[in-house]
Amino acid sequence: MRRKLTSPLPQRHGLDAARLKLPPEGPWLSLRDHLVERLPRVASSRIDEMLAEDRIWGVSGPLGLDAPFVPDSYIWFHRDLPTEVPVPFEIGVVHQDDDIVVADKPHFLATIPRGQHIMQTALVKLRDSLGLPELSPAHRLDRVTAGLVLFVVRRELRGKYQTMFRDRLVHKEYEAIAPHDPALSLPRVVRSRIVKERGIITAFEVDGEPNAETHVSLVEHRDGLGRYRLKPLTGRTHQLRLHMSGLGVPIVNDDFYPVLRDRPLDDFSSPLQLLARDLSFVDPVSGVRRSFRSRLELSAWS
């Protein structure tokens, strides 16, 4: 097995440098010419600045404007960060030890860097605040969903915890606030086939063999709202939101289901009333049974 190359650049703001592998052949005489063609969204003047400022590195050090194109070589650099609106909610730590961190992610905070959300993510904030550069998530929550997320402290343990989620060895319970329908018979198990296509923001249900399963029960109700306990037996994208909407009781403040509504990224006024409340599993490293409960509350109920 080939050993993975270590980045010559340290983390910046809790983020690893991006790595690019150059193609085995091509018409470019210089690294600069290749990057201008390969990265069309980056202005050529910006590539010139990065090379001049020693911000692009090879295995032996910084590469300048006169660096040649070297086939099959690797380069590293830190991407320019987007302008982000700060998420005005704190991320909590429910548990921390030498192997894992269990965090209480607030609404509107993405789990990992992606797209327009880089610094305003749970991973980057926790790496910085806890001083854990190798921290990585074992699973993810949607940006608009609050609650428990399990992070792994050391890189060599990540596979054990991710496999645990993949093999459905983790018991997860969610809480949701949605309209109360006296005619809806609960508890029940909802099964459907959910499809999520690349480039389309919402998922949808189609005919066919079910690939998503959720146990839905009503805990209590008042003033036309119900507090529901949701136990997903699978982990499809937007599964809980789709299944609640399909029952005719869409989760309060859901901007996707049943109708897609546009919300500005700086609007934090109406959080989705969905919370990852409980997380329990047999630890794949220690063999100890672990159970965690979120300290957050859903505002529409509390």
Side-chain angles (χ1 to χ4, degrees):
M1 180 181 293
R2 297 178 62 183
R3 191 178 70 173
K4 182 178 179 181
L5 289 174
T6 301
S7 171
L9 287 172
Q11 286 185 343
R12 185 187 67 173
H13 304 304
L15 293 169
D16 295 324
R19 186 184 74 171
L20 285 183
K21 184 179 188 297
L22 274 57
E25 59 183 21
W28 315 280
L29 297 178
S30 69
L31 172 64
R32 186 256 182 204
D33 290 343
H34 171 67
L35 292 179
V36 168
E37 182 174 325
R38 183 166 180 175
L39 306 174
R41 295 184 180 180
V42 181
S44 58
S45 59
R46 182 60 185 143
I47 292 175
D48 291 342
E49 289 174 356
M50 293 175 70
L51 288 166
E53 296 169 0
D54 292 341
R55 294 186 57 184
I56 300 178
W57 283 52
V59 291
S60 300
L63 301 167
L65 282 164
D66 59 349
F69 170 77
V70 179
D72 282 327
S73 63
Y74 290 89
I75 62 170
W76 290 262
F77 60 91
H78 284 290
R79 296 184 176 93
D80 290 333
L81 297 176
T83 301
E84 299 180 66
V85 178
V87 176
F89 309 112
E90 295 295 324
I91 183 170
V93 175
V94 175
H95 173 85
Q96 180 181 356
D97 59 34
D98 291 340
D99 296 334
I100 63 172
V101 171
V102 181
D104 241 346
K105 187 188 80 65
H107 294 103
F108 302 110
L109 188 69
T111 301
I112 62 171
R114 185 178 181 183
Q116 300 178 73
H117 308 287
I118 305 297
M119 297 295 292
Q120 294 298 308
T121 60
L123 178 61
V124 171
K125 286 178 174 288
L126 289 171
R127 278 182 174 178
D128 179 61
S129 64
L130 301 179
L132 297 173
E134 293 187 4
L135 195 71
S136 59
H139 64 122
R140 303 179 192 177
L141 280 186
D142 288 345
R143 187 179 74 92
V144 293
T145 302
L148 299 179
V149 183
L150 175 66
F151 292 85
V152 185
V153 172
R154 288 173 285 144
R155 185 178 292 113
E156 65 267 21
L157 299 180
R158 180 171 55 192
K160 294 180 182 294
Y161 288 96
Q162 289 180 332
T163 298
M164 178 180 69
F165 280 89
R166 183 198 66 191
D167 294 344
R168 303 178 187 175
L169 300 177
V170 180
H171 177 76
K172 297 182 284 185
E173 288 191 15
Y174 290 71
E175 181 177 303
I177 309 302
H180 173 240
D181 180 1
L184 181 61
S185 178
L186 294 175
R188 69 167 64 186
V189 176
V190 181
R191 298 181 180 89
S192 70
R193 184 166 190 82
I194 293 177
V195 174
K196 176 69 168 65
E197 295 182 353
R198 182 182 296 273
I200 299 177
I201 194 171
T202 55
F204 52 93
E205 294 176 294
V206 298
D207 293 334
E209 182 179 355
N211 61 4
E213 185 172 336
T214 306
H215 185 276
V216 181
S217 59
L218 178 66
V219 178
E220 57 183 325
H221 66 91
R222 69 180 187 220
D223 302 325
L225 290 178
R227 186 163 71 92
Y228 297 85
R229 180 180 294 115
L230 310 179
K231 300 177 184 179
L233 302 180
T234 53
R236 294 291 170 178
T237 300
H238 299 170
Q239 173 179 322
L240 302 180
R241 299 162 70 178
L242 269 168
H243 281 172
M244 289 295 285
S245 179
L247 291 174
V249 286
I251 299 173
V252 170
N253 297 333
D254 193 337
D255 291 326
F256 283 13
Y257 309 101
V259 178
L260 179 63
R261 295 185 294 266
D262 185 39
R263 179 199 290 265
L265 289 178
D266 60 353
D267 181 358
F268 306 109
S269 61
S270 303
L272 176 73
Q273 296 299 286
L274 180 62
L275 173 66
R277 171 70 76 185
D278 295 286
L279 196 64
S280 60
F281 53 90
V282 175
D283 193 294
V285 175
S286 68
V288 173
R289 181 75 182 179
R290 294 178 178 266
S291 296
F292 304 102
R293 187 170 180 84
S294 173
R295 298 167 183 164
L296 299 175
E297 299 289 342
L298 293 173
S299 58
W301 193 262
S302 62

